[in-house]
């Protein structure tokens, strides 16, 4: 059964966060200081953070025009002999052109790792994403398809990488008990408080708590010479139970996600708001439903007033870094113009079990009547 197969995949190597899983993969592949790892712009800071934590250098690749996934042509132009790995992100759950990217990468002996933070069940040419590259990783934060408080997994079909991962894994310890308790409290609070209609309130509260330092934000400045000790942590046992519980609901979740996306696609018909279409022979199982508009700021402002959950990410090429902080992860503003344009145009609607027929209609009506 699909659920069983995915469950055993995703519970073998479980880490404190998705970025820790990626760092473990890079280490297992022998990536060293001075080597490069290519990633797309229009991503989350977690990705370059993982690369920097092993001493390697992130190299940024643009997305395709009007799209949200890596452009194979841009990749070809940015590969150098020092680029050992390309991390391919399936943004929002839309599959990247993985076969084209694999061809480009193979020509220069670059390995492919998949970033499956936004999807577990998307398929491309009948095959589940996460099974194309040498290794893949997942994330279990609130905004991801499977919520287990926080956390990540690594998978691989390569026996050498698997052996290295296994060896490294035995040296990791779980987070301190106080940290585990805080994660469980956050999990419970989110479960109780989050509904599409409370989104803006919960978001304001979360940001206020991060500012006061009561909870940790998404971005801890890491120093290249002294990676945060978070990178030596695996997932705690309590959270592994949450993860297993989430995995048991995967088929139900997936069916619901497909249904919600289909509804948004047919119900939202505003002439100035575009959908993103899936490429041929793929079945995207989305984390959120993206929409593209030239009037992002107006749309977001009105959504707050109408209490419609509408997210603004990624609002910067390396979310959530603003222009001044981008060079700290090696991103030179202007180097990926298509990704930067997309940050000005993208918004997204929720797709989760709390989005039922009523919430869908409310969101679609709001968008269609946007002026
Ligand atoms: C969330 C996310 C990750 C991993 O995030 P963690 O917070 O480390 O679990 C990686 N890549 C992308 C694209 C993400 O959105």
């Amino acid at each position: 059964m699909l659920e069983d197969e995915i469950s055993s995949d995703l519970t073998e190597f479980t880490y404190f966060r998705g970025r820790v899983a990626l760092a473990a993969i890079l280490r297992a592949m022998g990536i060293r200081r001075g080597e490069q790892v290519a990633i797309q712009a229009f991503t989350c800071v977690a990705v370059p953070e993982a690369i920097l934590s092993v001493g390697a250098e992130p190299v940024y690749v643009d997305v395709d025009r009007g799209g949200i996934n890596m452009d194979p042509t841009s990749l070809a132009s940015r590969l150098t002999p020092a680029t050992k790995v390309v991390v391919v992100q399936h943004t929002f759950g839309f599959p990247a052109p993985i076969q084209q990217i694999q061809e480009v990468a193979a020509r220069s002996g670059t390995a492919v790792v998949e970033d499956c933070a936004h999807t577990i069940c998307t398929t491309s040419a009948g095959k589940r994403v996460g099974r194309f590259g040498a290794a893949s990783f997942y994330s279990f934060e609130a905004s991801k398809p499977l919520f287990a408080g926080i956390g990540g997994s690594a998978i691989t079909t390569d026996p050498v990488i698997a052996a290295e991962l296994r060896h490294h894994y035995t040296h990791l310890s779980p987070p301190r008990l106080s940290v585990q308790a805080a994660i469980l409290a956050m999990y419970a609070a989110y479960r109780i408080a989050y509904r599409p209609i409370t989104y803006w309130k919960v978001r304001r509260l979360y940001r206020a708590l991060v500012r006061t330092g009561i909870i940790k934000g998404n971005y801890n400045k890491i120093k290249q010479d002294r990676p945060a000790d978070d990178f030596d942590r695996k997932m705690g046992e309590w959270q592994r139970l949450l993860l297993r519980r989430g995995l048991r609901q995967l088929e139900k979740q997936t069916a619901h996600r497909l249904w919600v996306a289909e509804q948004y696609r047919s119900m939202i018909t505003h002439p100035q708001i575009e959908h993103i279409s899936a490429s041929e022979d793929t079945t995207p199982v989305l984390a959120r439903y993206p929409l593209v508009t030239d009037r992002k700021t107006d749309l977001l402002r009105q959504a707050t007033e109408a209490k419609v959950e509408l997210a603004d990410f990624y609002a910067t090429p390396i979310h959530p870094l603003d222009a001044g902080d981008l060079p700290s992860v090696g991103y030179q503003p202007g180097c990926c113009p298509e990704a930067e344009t997309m940050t000005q145009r993208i918004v997204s609607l929720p797709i989760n079990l709390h989005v039922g027929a009523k919430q869908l209609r409310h969101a679609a009506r709001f968008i269609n009547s946007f002026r």
Side-chain angles (χ1 to χ4, degrees):
M1 240 186 69
L2 181 68
E3 245 174 15
D4 295 339
E5 177 196 299
I6 296 178
S7 282
S8 63
D9 267 8
L10 265 54
T11 51
E12 186 176 10
F13 300 116
T14 57
Y15 300 89
F16 180 53
R17 305 191 79 160
R19 67 197 73 184
V20 181
L22 173 58
I25 289 170
L26 296 175
R27 196 175 292 123
M29 295 173 95
I31 302 307
R32 287 189 306 265
R33 190 167 298 274
E35 294 181 327
Q36 295 176 340
V37 177
I39 61 178
Q40 73 165 69
F42 198 71
T43 189
C44 165
V45 69
V47 182
E49 242 192 40
I51 295 165
L52 291 168
S53 82
V54 300
E57 178 198 346
V59 171
Y60 293 93
V61 178
D62 211 348
V63 298
D64 61 331
R65 172 161 294 195
I68 54 179
N69 282 323
M70 184 178 280
D71 172 13
T73 311
S74 173
L75 174 65
S77 75
R78 295 189 189 186
L79 288 176
T80 75
T83 322
K84 300 299 173 191
V85 172
V86 53
V87 176
V88 182
Q89 172 180 306
H90 302 291
T91 312
F92 289 109
F94 284 101
I98 185 78
Q99 277 136 332
Q100 281 168 272
I101 290 172
Q102 280 180 307
E103 280 166 30
V104 171
R107 266 184 258 139
S108 60
T110 306
V112 173
V113 169
E114 294 177 77
D115 179 341
C116 297
H118 297 175
T119 187
I120 298 174
C121 296
T122 286
T123 60
S124 178
K127 184 161 149 184
R128 194 149 52 76
V129 300
R131 295 217 149 203
F132 289 87
S136 306
F137 69 99
Y138 297 80
S139 168
F140 308 118
E141 282 186 326
S143 59
K144 306 298 156 77
L146 200 166
F147 177 40
I150 189 172
S153 289
I155 68 170
T156 182
T157 48
D158 180 319
V160 178
I161 299 174
E164 289 293 328
L165 281 178
R166 202 165 294 122
H167 174 72
H168 174 244
Y169 198 74
T170 58
H171 296 289
L172 302 181
S173 45
R176 286 189 311 275
L177 281 177
S178 61
V179 173
Q180 292 197 44
I183 293 169
L184 291 181
M186 218 164 71
Y187 177 86
Y190 185 86
R191 273 290 158 108
I192 293 165
Y194 167 76
R195 297 291 179 272
I197 191 122
T198 60
Y199 170 76
W200 292 102
K201 233 186 238 165
V202 169
R203 190 176 115 127
R204 264 197 305 277
L205 179 68
Y206 174 80
R207 297 209 164 165
L209 289 173
V210 168
R211 269 197 304 278
T212 61
I214 294 171
I215 54 179
K216 241 188 191 179
N218 204 25
Y219 174 49
N220 351 319
K221 282 209 163 76
I222 66 152
K223 309 213 169 39
Q224 238 170 299
D225 302 324
R226 194 178 53 80
D229 68 352
D230 290 353
F231 280 90
D232 296 327
R233 302 286 183 195
K234 58 185 177 183
M235 190 184 279
E237 282 305 315
W238 289 103
Q239 271 185 273
R240 282 175 58 87
L241 293 176
L242 297 179
L243 176 60
R244 283 180 192 283
R245 182 174 176 274
L247 284 165
R248 282 197 295 274
Q249 297 183 338
L250 201 57
E251 269 177 37
K252 181 175 147 199
Q253 278 271 4
T254 299
H256 187 74
R257 281 174 195 280
L258 290 170
W259 176 76
V260 174
E262 194 46 52
Q263 298 298 308
Y264 282 142
R265 184 171 295 282
S266 61
M267 288 166 83
I268 295 171
T269 54
H270 194 291
Q272 293 175 318
I273 294 174
E274 298 156 32
H275 297 264
I276 287 183
S277 40
S279 34
E280 237 173 87
D281 201 18
T282 67
T283 307
V285 182
L286 304 181
R288 299 187 63 84
Y289 192 86
L291 292 168
V292 180
T293 170
D294 288 329
R295 296 180 55 209
K296 174 169 173 169
T297 316
D298 292 339
L299 188 60
L300 281 168
R301 185 173 35 75
Q302 293 185 27
T304 322
E305 288 157 12
K307 293 196 170 65
V308 168
E309 172 174 351
L310 195 67
D312 67 344
F313 57 73
Y314 298 131
T316 96
I318 317 293
H319 175 86
L321 304 186
D322 51 32
D325 280 335
L326 289 172
S328 73
V329 292
Y331 184 90
Q332 300 312 325
C335 77
C336 295
E338 298 299 338
E340 291 182 18
T341 301
M342 190 47 78
T343 64
Q344 310 291 317
R345 305 187 66 213
I346 194 114
V347 292
S348 60
L349 289 163
I351 298 191
N352 56 56
L353 291 176
H354 291 298
V355 181
K358 197 174 130 205
Q359 286 77 21
L360 270 166
R361 269 200 309 277
H362 180 54
R365 201 176 303 131
F366 162 74
I367 302 238
N368 288 337
S369 61
F370 170 61
R371 290 290 169 269

